[in-house]
Amino acid sequence: MGREFDTVSRREFLHASGAVLALFTGLERLLPAYARPGLGTAAPATRPVGGTGSREFDLRIGRTRITIGEREAWAQLINGTLPGPLLRFREGETVTLRVSNALDEDTSIHWHGLIVPNGMDGVPKVTFDGIRPGETFTYRFPVRQSGTYWYHSHSGLQEQMGVYGPIIIDPIEPDPFEYEREYVVVLSDWTFEDPHDVLAKLKKMGGYYNFQRRTVAELIRDAKKQGLWSALGNRLSWGRMRMDPTDLSDVTGYTYTYLMNGMPPGANWTALFRPGERVRLRFINAAASSFFDVRIPDLPMTVVQADGQNVHPVTVDEFRIAIAETYDVIVQPLEDRAYTIFAESMDRSGYARGTLAPRPGMSAEIPKRRPRPVRTMADMGMDMSGMEMSEMQMEGMHAHAGHAMPASSAVPHGPDRHGPGNSAVRQVTRPRLDDPGVGLGEDGRRVLVYRDLRAVVPSPDQREPIREIELHLTGNMERYMWSFDGKKFSEAPEPIPVGLGERVRITFVNDTMMEHPIHLHGMWMELDNGAGDQRPRKHTVNVKPAERLSVLVTPDVPGKWALHCHILYHMEAGMFRVVEVAGGLAEEDR
């Protein structure tokens, strides 16, 4: 692993990289080194097994004036760059990170997906008090894993304002796949509005940013396909439920500029390669509110890691990356040509874009954005098998539209008892592990689904769970309230208790019409996707509308741990709980 360039070719390649950097004078100083167009990073050399060390970092969070496209704005940045600097650790070492707060408000850093001592997790009012203005907090923890991760603020809406960055942890033993070059690809969304104003608008009207509603022309088109009365009846049903089947994302391209490594689509972030090289792309979705559908036209992608954990390789044409997830893929461009890295927002209101190219200054055709998906009545978790929805059922559905699997796999639901915090009533919920998601899988492309993921290394705990915790993901779109079991965090009962070392199944039941990427701090979630002892370990799982999704956990670090939706505005509006792991110290913490 790690094929070297010959001296002349490498010199030419470096010269070309310098040339492309010159194209971004003025922008370069706001980009961290890994995000600047150019050569990327050579594959790390094989490392010997064993050995420990230490590494130290200094991070400063402050306000910085930035330019995105042709507009300027104030951002909150880490060490003055968007995204923040790449933190590269090595499995087995101990890292020390001094985080200084140059803001006029409290801040924090959470190490997303890293298993760390409770006091180092970085969640204000849960694991520590936060970092006050003018103060420095020192994080220090052993690195217990390897792979691609990221870090971000867990204070208010700072993540939306730029407080995030990537983490790479090199393994002690080599990964079970080869590549010659690697790039970090951080996807995110940026708004020139104050994020607090965005949240205030959503609270006044949940569909404020949805400008893709159905038109009269579409009604006429539907009438030609379905018949007038069927099409008209469908429209009236949605109207009675005060929902819109095009309302897929709370915040859209109306206010968002979608970024790839801090650069808008027109800036064309570029990664260079030599034909025949195997290139590892480490995708991180650091967006506050956006799902991305990622593809590289004419170039298959082989997924080799999910959420930092090695999986058996699976080759796809496209994958949906939920907020906070990471996917590592290997591509091997053989032709001497450019390829577009295209990350389309799930609601098709915009995209992030970059280029893989053998030389600087090249670009490839940018795919046309596909028509925005439209949800159906059957997508709402209603059993449509030979039965009409009653008026009462339709009146009970006052949230976003969802997407469901065939009724044959459905689990019937009883009456809803979650109170005013939950405005959706499901007839059925279904496992959707084979479903790529709304708007995908209908154009002949091979799309990654959760069923494809199989861990390379089996979980060390193969016990059956001794109990199950069922949590309903709930929401009231008219009031823009998001919650678990109908109660937002400020109304929630005591923390969810879990014993140290206890084997537990957590089943998430999505009673809303939106996807929710659920992140559990402090422990791995083993996705129960039918892979048996090869269940993949994830730190974030995307729960689709009307879906039942189960994970297995074995907590091995005591303390209180956050559990929340990683759509930032949902978390801020109340979709947050605490899991408390009680018991003696785990062996590694003694």
Side-chain angles (χ1 to χ4, degrees):
M1 187 167 66
R3 176 170 55 86
E4 295 294 332
F5 294 136
D6 63 88
T7 304
V8 175
S9 296
R10 182 173 176 81
R11 186 184 303 118
E12 292 172 348
F13 206 54
L14 287 167
H15 178 74
S17 303
V20 75
L21 284 176
L23 298 175
F24 293 92
T25 302
L27 177 64
E28 177 185 344
R29 67 183 181 84
L30 296 176
L31 294 174
Y34 68 88
R36 295 171 188 166
L39 199 58
T41 306
T46 301
R47 299 178 181 274
V49 176
T52 59
S54 62
R55 199 168 304 193
E56 299 185 2
F57 300 84
D58 289 291
L59 303 177
R60 176 184 180 275
I61 303 174
R63 277 168 53 87
T64 304
R65 192 73 174 168
I66 65 171
T67 300
I68 294 179
E70 297 180 352
R71 299 181 63 182
E72 291 190 350
W74 283 102
Q76 296 178 345
L77 304 182
I78 305 168
N79 290 7
T81 68
L82 181 69
L86 169 65
L87 303 180
R88 193 151 199 157
F89 310 150
R90 182 189 170 205
E91 182 183 9
E93 68 186 2
T94 297
V95 297
T96 301
L97 302 109
R98 292 175 288 269
V99 180
S100 300
N101 184 4
L103 301 172
D104 58 3
E105 61 188 31
D106 286 8
T107 191
S108 59
I109 291 291
H110 164 60
W111 318 102
H112 187 103
L114 271 61
I115 307 301
V116 299
N118 186 256
M120 299 290 103
D121 194 50
V123 181
K125 312 308 179 186
V126 177
T127 64
F128 82 142
D129 292 332
I131 309 171
R132 295 182 176 85
E135 294 187 353
T136 297
F137 183 85
T138 300
Y139 295 85
R140 182 178 174 84
F141 52 83
V143 179
R144 304 171 53 185
Q145 61 212 86
S146 62
T148 303
Y149 304 92
W150 65 299
Y151 61 103
H152 58 84
S153 171
H154 227 290
S155 300
L157 301 176
Q158 292 175 3
E159 182 187 325
Q160 176 76 90
M161 301 181 72
V163 188
Y164 57 85
I167 296 172
I168 295 177
I169 304 176
D170 293 314
I172 293 177
E173 298 186 18
D175 286 317
F177 45 85
E178 294 187 345
Y179 58 98
E180 284 73 56
R181 193 149 303 281
E182 67 176 24
Y183 290 93
V184 174
V185 184
V186 180
L187 303 172
S188 60
D189 44 32
W190 173 266
T191 175
F192 289 95
E193 297 184 75
D194 185 320
H196 299 90
D197 292 339
V198 172
L199 181 57
K201 291 173 180 176
L202 291 171
K203 287 183 175 180
K204 291 178 182 177
M205 185 171 69
Y208 183 90
Y209 292 100
N210 180 19
F211 287 84
Q212 300 191 93
R213 294 179 175 88
R214 293 185 296 181
T215 64
V216 173
E218 288 177 299
L219 174 61
I220 296 172
R221 183 197 63 194
D222 292 344
K224 290 180 180 178
K225 293 181 179 179
Q226 306 167 13
L228 176 60
W229 294 113
S230 177
L232 189 59
N234 182 276
R235 289 292 182 96
L236 292 174
S237 296
W238 285 103
R240 281 193 294 268
M241 293 181 293
R242 297 192 290 278
M243 291 185 290
D244 192 301
T246 66
D247 197 2
L248 304 176
S249 301
D250 292 345
V251 191
T252 70
Y254 174 77
T255 187
Y256 272 153
T257 299
Y258 299 106
L259 307 179
M260 184 174 291
N261 284 339
M263 298 174 65
N268 190 23
W269 176 79
T270 301
L272 299 180
F273 70 88
R274 294 183 63 195
E277 275 191 317
R278 291 161 296 190
V279 182
R280 179 179 187 170
L281 301 175
R282 298 176 180 261
F283 285 96
I284 300 168
N285 187 349
S289 191
S290 303
F291 290 67
F292 292 100
D293 296 331
V294 178
R295 56 192 161 112
I296 306 176
D298 302 325
L299 195 59
M301 301 177 290
T302 300
V303 179
V304 294
Q305 271 192 6
D307 286 2
Q309 300 294 286
N310 291 330
V311 296
H312 286 278
V314 54
T315 300
V316 299
D317 301 308
E318 185 168 19
F319 62 88
R320 174 165 290 171
I321 184 168
I323 299 159
E325 287 186 315
T326 73
Y327 284 110
D328 287 31
V329 307
I330 303 290
V331 297
Q332 189 171 22
L334 300 176
E335 300 180 52
D336 186 36
R337 50 160 289 198
Y339 299 83
T340 296
I341 306 172
F342 193 62
E344 192 174 22
S345 66
M346 182 175 69
D347 70 337
R348 312 297 182 234
S349 64
Y351 60 88
R353 164 253 185 168
T355 299
L356 268 174
R359 292 175 298 281
M362 299 179 70
S363 63
E365 180 181 0
I366 299 175
K368 292 182 179 179
R369 277 185 282 164
R370 292 168 285 192
R372 51 98 173 95
V374 177
R375 303 195 195 268
T376 68
M377 296 299 289
D379 292 336
M380 297 173 58
M382 306 303 293
D383 187 351
M384 304 298 288
S385 55
M387 59 188 298
E388 297 288 337
M389 281 206 302
S390 70
E391 191 76 17
M392 182 180 296
Q393 288 166 342
M394 289 189 291
E395 286 299 323
M397 303 289 286
H398 290 175
H400 280 273
H403 194 82
M405 290 289 285
S408 60
S409 60
V411 176
H413 261 214
D416 175 71
R417 293 189 175 90
H418 291 136
N422 185 35
S423 60
V425 179
R426 288 280 176 273
Q427 272 191 302
V428 292
T429 55
R430 305 168 170 90
R432 300 186 56 198
L433 296 162
D434 296 301
D435 187 346
V438 62
L440 293 179
E442 299 177 356
D443 52 12
R445 294 188 181 93
R446 169 71 193 277
V447 184
L448 183 74
V449 297
Y450 272 176
R451 186 82 71 184
D452 293 327
L453 301 177
R454 294 184 303 119
V456 171
V457 177
S459 166
D461 189 351
Q462 293 297 325
R463 296 176 297 163
E464 289 297 315
I466 60 174
R467 68 184 176 104
E468 179 174 3
I469 299 170
E470 183 171 297
L471 289 172
H472 286 249
L473 316 182
T474 48
N476 186 319
M477 194 61 188
E478 290 182 334
R479 299 169 59 183
Y480 204 75
M481 292 171 52
W482 298 100
S483 54
F484 289 101
D485 289 341
K487 294 182 179 181
K488 59 185 180 180
F489 181 56
S490 60
E491 306 167 338
E494 293 299 311
I496 300 167
V498 179
L500 188 70
E502 183 183 15
R503 188 67 163 164
V504 177
R505 178 188 303 277
I506 303 176
T507 296
F508 300 110
V509 181
N510 191 350
D511 288 336
T512 81
M513 303 302 174
M514 295 197 74
E515 288 79 3
H516 295 286
I518 301 299
H519 174 42
L520 175 59
H521 295 219
M523 65 201 81
W524 287 109
M525 295 185 287
E526 297 171 32
L527 179 61
D528 195 3
N529 66 345
D533 63 1
Q534 294 181 305
R535 285 183 296 266
R537 297 200 299 180
K538 296 188 96 274
H539 50 62
T540 307
V541 292
N542 183 37
V543 189
K544 304 178 186 71
E547 180 176 25
R548 296 179 67 89
L549 184 146
S550 294
V551 300
L552 277 62
V553 301
T554 305
D556 64 354
V557 182
K560 294 182 178 180
W561 301 100
L563 169 70
H564 61 89
C565 176
H566 223 287
I567 297 175
L568 183 60
Y569 298 100
H570 289 189
M571 181 178 71
E572 192 70 9
M575 205 168 195
F576 186 103
R577 288 290 298 273
V578 171
V579 173
E580 184 168 14
V581 178
L585 292 177
E587 181 178 344
E588 60 270 26
D589 293 313
R590 289 173 182 162

